[in-house]
Amino acid sequence: MPNPQQISAPVQNPQISSPEKSSPTFSPSQVSVIFVLGGPGAGKGTQCANIVRDYGFTHLSAGDLLRAEQDRKDSQFGNMIKEKIRDGEIVPMEVTVQLLENAVKEKIDKEGEGSKGRFLIDGFPRKMDQALFFEKSVCPSRFTLFFDCPEETMRERLLSRGKTSGRADDNEESITKRFKTFVETSMPVVEYFEKQGKVEKVMATESPDKVYEKVRGSMERRGFQ
């Protein structure tokens, strides 16, 4: 497996070629993965912090991992990731999945036998092929926590955040592109897992505390105390 700090791939093709696996790297008995989805500005980060505090999960943000990789010195994928994020497009799944797998392995290796193996993966999977590829190559998810929020509410939150966040994608043009991308590519993922009985839907229009009360109910229904 590549070192978390050294991701390599052919220069002419900005993707990571993961070897074919006969089974996922981790089994559900070793690792509990919850996918966290919701439109941009739905409040995923805030609620993930609460779950980390109360349930012993590690929060992995696909977006944060990609932003860190784009800023890493000598990263082969830095410019490509930067352009994709700026344009509200989706980074090739091989890049994102490998970064996530590296982060899971690094955490488990660091904690050793005492590891709970609980991971929230925030903002992922954003497309069906990502969902299928991750579950086949890394680990099947336990369920998807989906934060449902009207577009106008999310827009207001993001524009307010953009005044202080310094993020290149917290502007009107990028926000519009991100909404469109989420509806077209991520909602089919939610619907796919919903058919399997693997979605907990939470309305995210109320205050963070009120939303978290609903999140706690979802966690308990899925066996997390």
Side-chain angles (χ1 to χ4, degrees), residues 35 37 125 128 131-132 135 141 143-144 188-199:
F35 293 143
L37 292 178
M128 275 305 308
L132 298 174
E135 294 212 327
S141 64
F143 68 96
T144 294
V189 176
V190 176
E191 292 162 3
Y192 169 78
F193 284 123
E194 198 162 28
K195 289 176 182 175
Q196 298 181 17
K198 290 176 61 176
V199 170

Side-chain angles (χ1 to χ4, degrees), residues 10-23:
V11 174
Q12 69 274 20
N13 183 15
Q15 293 189 358
I16 294 175
S17 298
S18 298
E20 281 294 318
K21 298 178 181 177
S22 58
S23 62

Side-chain angles (χ1 to χ4, degrees), residues 55-222:
Y55 294 93
F57 275 75
T58 295
H59 178 208
L60 298 179
S61 163
D64 287 350
L65 288 171
L66 288 167
R67 281 185 283 272
E69 182 66 17
Q70 82 175 1
D71 294 333
R72 185 174 64 81
K73 186 179 178 182
D74 300 327
S75 170
Q76 188 168 353
F77 304 101
N79 288 335
M80 179 270 291
I81 293 171
K82 190 173 296 184
E83 290 171 3
K84 293 286 188 183
I85 290 176
R86 182 194 64 211
D87 295 337
E89 297 177 359
I90 291 176
V91 173
M93 68 175 178
E94 293 88 351
V95 175
T96 308
V97 170
Q98 191 64 64
L99 289 172
L100 287 167
E101 181 173 341
N102 290 348
V104 169
K105 185 176 188 304
E106 185 177 29
K107 180 70 173 178
I108 290 174
D109 288 348
K110 182 179 179 181
E111 294 184 346
E113 292 184 3
S115 175
K116 286 187 174 181
R118 293 182 171 186
F119 294 90
L120 293 173
I121 301 188
D122 176 3
F124 179 92
R126 295 182 64 193
K127 290 178 66 180
M128 275 305 308
D129 59 355
Q130 290 182 348
L132 298 174
F133 184 66
F134 183 93
E135 294 212 327
K136 179 182 177 182
S137 65
V138 183
C139 182
S141 64
R142 290 284 294 273
F143 68 96
T144 294
L145 187 59
F146 171 52
F147 291 99
D148 198 2
C149 193
E151 181 174 326
E152 190 52 42
T153 300
M154 292 188 285
R155 184 186 303 277
E156 290 173 4
R157 290 175 179 176
L158 289 172
L159 289 174
S160 176
R161 185 177 76 180
K163 296 174 184 177
T164 57
S165 71
R167 281 178 49 168
D169 57 348
D170 279 347
N171 63 74
E172 188 77 44
E173 183 179 358
S174 288
I175 289 168
T176 299
K177 290 178 180 177
R178 288 160 67 196
F179 286 145
K180 185 173 185 290
T181 298
F182 178 77
V183 171
E184 291 177 353
T185 64
S186 298
M187 280 308 298
V189 176
V190 176
E191 292 162 3
Y192 169 78
F193 284 123
E194 198 162 28
K195 289 176 182 175
Q196 298 181 17
K198 290 176 61 176
V199 170
E200 289 286 336
K201 185 181 291 188
V202 174
M203 282 303 299
T205 51
E206 297 183 278
S207 70
D209 287 345
K210 291 285 188 183
V211 173
Y212 188 52
E213 287 179 15
K214 299 174 184 176
V215 170
R216 289 182 69 94
S218 294
M219 295 296 291
E220 289 170 9
R221 275 195 298 275
R222 296 289 171 164

